[in-house]
Amino acid sequence: MQAEQVDAAFGQWLASQPNPAGCSYHIQVKLPSKEVEIAQLTTANLTGWVVIDWQHRGRGLSAKKAIAAAQPPDIARRLGAIHCDLLHAHFQLILAPDPDWAECYGQDSLAPDLMPVLDAGHATVLSVSAEREDGDWRVTQAHQPPNDAPLTGFSTS
């Protein structure tokens, strides 16, 4: 798959959710620390994104603000700025009604605190694991937690 196809699959998932109007989504991407140096992440064109270090759980990117559901995701395309032969990425997309996002932003926070959105009970989560080798993406797993059943619409191998 090309990056545009991965982003299109995220967009199709968003469009298939009940009542996406009036909702926003947040994307985080976890990358194993051993694969990508933080310097490579910071050189990418990351307007609207912040580099996060989850320490033992890896490093990655987080959107600074929730994005309106009408705006298609472009995260796989953005990851093209990270130059490496093999990249493992775990995407987490959280979709929730706009009012649920109000408590997620602190004055000193770089990215939303996702717990208030998840605790509100209205969020839908998409979890996708994928790897990119020489520019080609392969989705290895896609599901909606807490259900582990594979999702249709994502090419998995």
Side-chain angles (χ1 to χ4, degrees):
M1 299 175 84
Q2 298 299 310
E4 293 80 11
Q5 292 171 296
V6 175
D7 289 335
F10 283 123
Q12 290 169 353
W13 179 84
L14 282 169
S16 73
Q17 298 307 299
N19 197 19
C23 289
S24 293
Y25 66 93
H26 176 81
I27 295 180
Q28 288 184 336
V29 183
K30 292 181 183 172
L31 306 166
S33 296
K34 64 183 179 190
E35 289 188 11
V36 180
E37 293 296 324
I38 201 73
Q40 287 178 300
L41 291 174
T42 57
T43 61
N45 179 12
L46 299 175
T47 304
W49 294 79
V50 64
V51 175
I52 299 287
D53 188 347
W54 288 282
Q55 294 164 10
H56 67 278
R57 294 187 299 144
R59 285 183 263 197
L61 306 174
S62 177
K64 288 183 180 181
K65 299 282 184 188
I67 303 162
Q71 183 177 339
D74 69 345
I75 188 59
R77 182 190 60 78
R78 286 178 182 268
L79 290 177
I82 300 172
H83 302 289
C84 61
D85 294 334
L86 181 63
L87 178 71
H88 293 87
H90 179 77
F91 301 90
Q92 185 177 40
L93 187 149
I94 299 170
L95 177 70
D98 289 335
D100 288 356
W101 292 100
E103 295 182 33
C104 295
Y105 305 102
Q107 288 203 331
D108 298 331
S109 65
L110 295 174
D113 174 5
L114 299 176
M115 290 313 296
V117 168
L118 295 171
D119 289 345
H122 307 125
T124 304
V125 178
L126 172 65
S127 179
V128 176
S129 294
E131 50 187 46
R132 184 190 72 198
E133 187 170 7
D134 297 324
D136 289 328
W137 283 95
R138 183 173 64 92
V139 174
T140 57
Q141 183 182 29
H143 68 281
Q144 284 182 225
N147 187 344
D148 289 336
L151 284 180
T152 58
F154 286 89
S155 298
T156 57
S157 40

